[in-house]
Amino acid sequence: MTAGCAEGAGDGRWDARRDGGRAQARQVADAVESLVACWLTAAEETAPLLPARQLLALRTVRRRPELNLTALAECLDVGLPTASRLCDRLEAAGLLERAVHPRNRREVRLVLTAYGRRVLTDVGERRVGRLAAVFEDMSPAQRTALEQGLYAFHRAHARSCGTGRGHGAAGPDG
């Protein structure tokens, strides 16, 4: 029997009263592991193969075209030297450029290259394809419940992390 399931409840519903929601959290953690495996596998099928942190940096730059290195470091919740090395690698791969800001020549703006945009599009399409394949084995009601639950989780996570900071600001496709 699955931990946290009510006695005799063979439908897999959680009994959150047992331990204050920890059993439910364990069940969700198992499901998230499957989701993350699906998500990462799709990214691993693209060339170039990019670590999750580099993909997150590219998505962040795509969403915020006026971003500079300091702002990227804040969004990723990393130090400035770490963000700089990350951008060095992305720039060397031809995915990102550093450009002088048109209104402030002392500021360097981060800009995706056409190749960087293509890589993000490819990763996004592969992820959508993998999720759609899994969704085919789910009923419409289950898909709707998953969508609503993940959206509620996203909002709660953004509130708990503070808006505009860290991974909570990455957006629904990131």
Side-chain angles (χ1 to χ4, degrees), residues 138-149:
M138 297 171 67
S139 71
Q142 289 171 323
R143 290 192 302 264
T144 299
L146 177 63
E147 180 184 14
Q148 291 171 345

Side-chain angles (χ1 to χ4, degrees), residues 102-122:
R103 293 183 300 279
N104 181 353
R105 298 196 52 77
R106 292 182 294 169
E107 186 176 323
V108 175
R109 189 172 76 170
L110 303 174
V111 180
L112 286 183
T113 64
Y115 179 51
R117 287 189 298 276
R118 282 194 310 272
V119 167
L120 282 180
T121 297
D122 185 35

Side-chain angles (χ1 to χ4, degrees), residues 86-164:
L86 181 66
C87 287
D88 289 343
R89 289 189 291 275
L90 293 170
E91 194 170 23
L95 300 164
L96 182 80
E97 292 177 345
R98 296 175 193 192
V100 175
H101 195 286
R103 293 183 300 279
N104 181 353
R105 298 196 52 77
R106 292 182 294 169
E107 186 176 323
V108 175
R109 189 172 76 170
L110 303 174
V111 180
L112 286 183
T113 64
Y115 179 51
R117 287 189 298 276
R118 282 194 310 272
V119 167
L120 282 180
T121 297
D122 185 35
V123 169
E125 288 301 315
R126 289 175 187 272
R127 286 176 169 169
V128 167
R130 285 208 168 252
L131 290 173
V134 173
F135 288 177
E136 288 176 8
D137 288 336
M138 297 171 67
S139 71
Q142 289 171 323
R143 290 192 302 264
T144 299
L146 177 63
E147 180 184 14
Q148 291 171 345
L150 287 175
Y151 183 70
F153 178 86
H154 174 70
R155 286 192 323 252
H157 182 251
R159 284 191 305 271
S160 70
C161 293
T163 58

Side-chain angles (χ1 to χ4, degrees), residues 63-83:
R63 276 188 202 84
R64 297 186 52 199
E66 295 295 316
L67 208 64
N68 64 20
L69 189 60
T70 301
L72 178 64
E74 289 174 3
C75 286
L76 298 179
D77 222 5
V78 299
L80 196 54
T82 301

Side-chain angles (χ1 to χ4, degrees), residues 43-44 46-55 58 90 93 95 119-120 123:
E44 291 169 356
T46 61
L49 179 60
L50 298 173
R53 177 75 67 179
Q54 289 181 10
L55 283 170
L58 289 174
L90 293 170
L95 300 164
V119 167
L120 282 180
V123 169

